[in-house]
Amino acid sequence: MICQQFGQISHCEVAVDRTGRSFGEAEVEFVQKQSALECITKLDNEVADGRILRAILRSRPSSMVPGYMNQTLRSVIAPSRSGFTSA
């Protein structure tokens, strides 16, 4: 996985439709906040397979497991809305 180069991943989930086909989006949860920030810095607006990647930071929802590291943050990797570059 491309995100492993930025640090330890505690969870990764690929968004799929009812048939199991990928929407082209994934949510990656890193153990360290710095890893998520580095992933965003390096991958946001990069081109992969002819598509522009979007990487954003999202805080862990408060409804998650109580007492779990509140510092753990997620970065979401997804293609841009159009999904394709002009090149």
Side-chain angles (χ1 to χ4, degrees), residues 1 5 10 18 22-23 28 45 48 51 55 57 60 62 64 66 68-70 81 83 87:
M1 167 191 272
Q5 64 184 309
S10 59
R18 291 184 296 180
S22 171
F23 282 120
V28 179
N45 289 315
R51 301 173 87 176
L57 188 65
R60 172 182 284 280
S62 58
M64 296 297 280
Y68 193 75
M69 294 173 50
N70 290 332
R81 289 266 184 235

Side-chain angles (χ1 to χ4, degrees), residues 26-46:
E27 189 166 293
V28 179
E29 183 175 340
F30 290 91
V31 173
Q32 299 289 323
K33 178 180 179 179
Q34 187 58 40
S35 299
L37 294 172
E38 186 177 340
C39 178
I40 291 166
T41 300
K42 303 279 181 166
L43 295 183
D44 192 35
N45 289 315
E46 289 296 315

Side-chain angles (χ1 to χ4, degrees), residues 3-86:
C3 296
Q4 288 176 324
Q5 64 184 309
F6 302 109
Q8 186 178 357
I9 295 171
S10 59
H11 180 78
C12 178
E13 187 174 340
V14 176
V16 295
D17 64 17
R18 291 184 296 180
T19 66
R21 188 171 172 192
S22 171
F23 282 120
E25 295 182 21
E27 189 166 293
V28 179
E29 183 175 340
F30 290 91
V31 173
Q32 299 289 323
K33 178 180 179 179
Q34 187 58 40
S35 299
L37 294 172
E38 186 177 340
C39 178
I40 291 166
T41 300
K42 303 279 181 166
L43 295 183
D44 192 35
N45 289 315
E46 289 296 315
V47 177
D49 294 329
R51 301 173 87 176
I52 299 172
L53 296 176
R54 293 292 301 144
I56 60 171
L57 188 65
R58 251 197 308 211
S59 296
R60 172 182 284 280
S62 58
S63 63
M64 296 297 280
V65 181
Y68 193 75
M69 294 173 50
N70 290 332
Q71 204 173 2
T72 303
L73 296 177
R74 295 177 175 194
S75 70
V76 178
I77 309 296
S80 64
R81 289 266 184 235
S82 67
F84 296 96
T85 64
S86 58

